[in-house]
């Protein structure tokens, strides 16, 4: 006689099968969130299926809600995913946005040689930490204004300016950034003064005045 237990086992088997097929189509080492599996069953069924796949070695759990299809090296064992890819997956899972840390942004803009000792990302979501192998990654909550223009070169420049601060940022700093950014991105940055604190806004006003008289 077909009973409830049989039906649950069949549903679980189907859920595991669908999740396995989904992840096998992904590149090795690519993060995936539990939210992506919601169409394959109930929340409880998804959680149980993921736990079984982790136990079987088909998936590895990176942090809460984020998994990867393990990528292994014959020399180093399991290769952790890139921190930025995991941070982006968490942002997608939580409906938040992320940006690189100000120190890294300043380095990319050629305004600093400082390299963060660990990967740090700014986020509009909650602060959290997770480990990738022996490396700890930090997501740090910041105010929305510091994430303006995220996802584009102008946003990296803006983050760098926030990080350097009012005692360092000058008209010459803005000129330097102008030499690093594509013209269209620099124009976006210059037109985004409403997203800037007063001290940064004032530097851009001086820069524009200087440019007019050059």
């Amino acid at each position: 006689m077909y009973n409830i237990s049989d039906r649950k086992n069949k549903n679980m088997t189907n859920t595991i099968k669908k999740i396995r097929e989904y992840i096998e189509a992904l590149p090795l080492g690519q993060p995936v969130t539990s939210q992506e599996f919601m169409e394959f069953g109930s929340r409880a069924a998804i959680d149980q299926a993921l736990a079984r796949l982790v136990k079987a070695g088909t998936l590895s759990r990176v942090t809460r809600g984020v998994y990867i299809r393990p990528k292994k090296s014959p020399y180093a064992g399991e290769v952790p995913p890139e921190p930025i890819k995991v941070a982006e997956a968490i942002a997608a899972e939580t409906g938040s946005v992320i940006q690189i840390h100000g120190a890294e942004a300043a380095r990319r803009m050629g305004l600093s040689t400082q390299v963060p000792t660990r990967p740090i990302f700014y986020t509009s979501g909650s602060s959290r930490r997770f480990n990738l192998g022996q490396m700890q990654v930090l997501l740090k909550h910041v105010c929305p204004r510091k994430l303006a223009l995220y996802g584009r070169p102008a946003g990296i420049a803006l983050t760098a300016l926030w990080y350097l601060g009012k005692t360092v940022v000058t008209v010459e700093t803005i000129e330097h950034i102008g030499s690093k950014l594509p013209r269209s991105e620099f124009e976006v940055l210059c037109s985004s003064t409403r997203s800037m604190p007063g001290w940064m806004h004032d530097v851009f006003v001086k820069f524009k005045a200087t440019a007019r008289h050059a």
Side-chain angles (χ1 to χ4, degrees):
M1 182 177 178
Y2 191 75
N3 55 38
I4 294 177
S5 178
D6 291 334
R7 185 165 65 249
K8 286 184 177 180
N9 288 335
K10 183 178 180 180
N11 289 341
M12 177 58 63
T13 300
N14 287 338
T15 298
I16 292 175
K17 180 176 181 292
K18 289 176 181 178
I19 293 177
R20 190 189 297 275
E21 290 174 348
Y22 185 93
I23 63 176
E24 285 179 350
L26 299 175
L28 291 173
Q30 178 176 316
V32 60
T33 69
S34 56
Q35 193 66 32
E36 296 178 52
F37 306 129
M38 287 300 102
E39 63 183 281
F40 300 147
S42 67
R43 183 76 209 202
I46 296 297
D47 290 343
Q48 289 182 47
L50 291 173
R52 292 188 185 185
L53 290 168
V54 169
K55 187 176 181 179
T58 305
L59 279 178
S60 288
R61 182 178 182 273
V62 179
T63 184
R64 185 176 69 253
V66 181
Y67 301 81
I68 60 168
R69 183 184 175 198
K71 180 178 181 180
K72 297 184 179 180
S73 162
Y75 307 104
E78 188 169 318
V79 180
E82 295 178 32
I84 182 64
K85 289 186 177 181
V86 178
E88 289 171 345
I90 292 172
E93 173 84 353
T94 59
S96 56
V97 300
I98 61 164
Q99 179 60 282
I100 59 173
H101 186 266
E104 175 62 13
R107 187 190 69 79
R108 292 190 188 184
M109 289 289 107
L111 295 167
S112 172
T113 57
Q114 180 181 351
V115 179
T117 56
R118 61 174 173 168
I120 303 174
F121 301 93
Y122 297 143
T123 179
S124 60
S126 301
S127 296
R128 65 191 288 185
R129 291 178 172 84
F130 59 90
N131 293 321
L132 294 178
Q134 300 299 313
M135 176 174 56
Q136 187 179 74
V137 183
L138 172 64
L139 297 185
K140 182 179 180 181
H141 175 79
V142 295
C143 67
R145 227 172 21 149
K146 290 189 175 182
L147 293 166
L149 306 179
Y150 75 92
R152 58 188 306 165
I156 294 176
L158 182 61
T159 299
L161 294 173
W162 272 102
Y163 173 76
L164 293 172
K166 62 183 177 181
T167 61
V168 174
V169 175
T170 63
V171 169
E172 289 72 23
T173 308
I174 308 305
E175 291 174 346
H176 174 83
I177 286 176
S179 70
K180 293 290 185 179
L181 288 177
R183 183 177 181 84
S184 59
E185 287 295 310
F186 187 58
E187 290 175 352
V188 168
L189 177 65
C190 290
S191 65
S192 301
T193 51
R194 289 185 178 181
S195 300
M196 301 175 183
W199 62 265
M200 194 186 299
H201 172 276
D202 292 346
V203 176
F204 272 87
V205 169
K206 291 178 183 178
F207 165 75
K208 292 174 183 178
T210 300
R212 282 196 298 268
H213 293 93

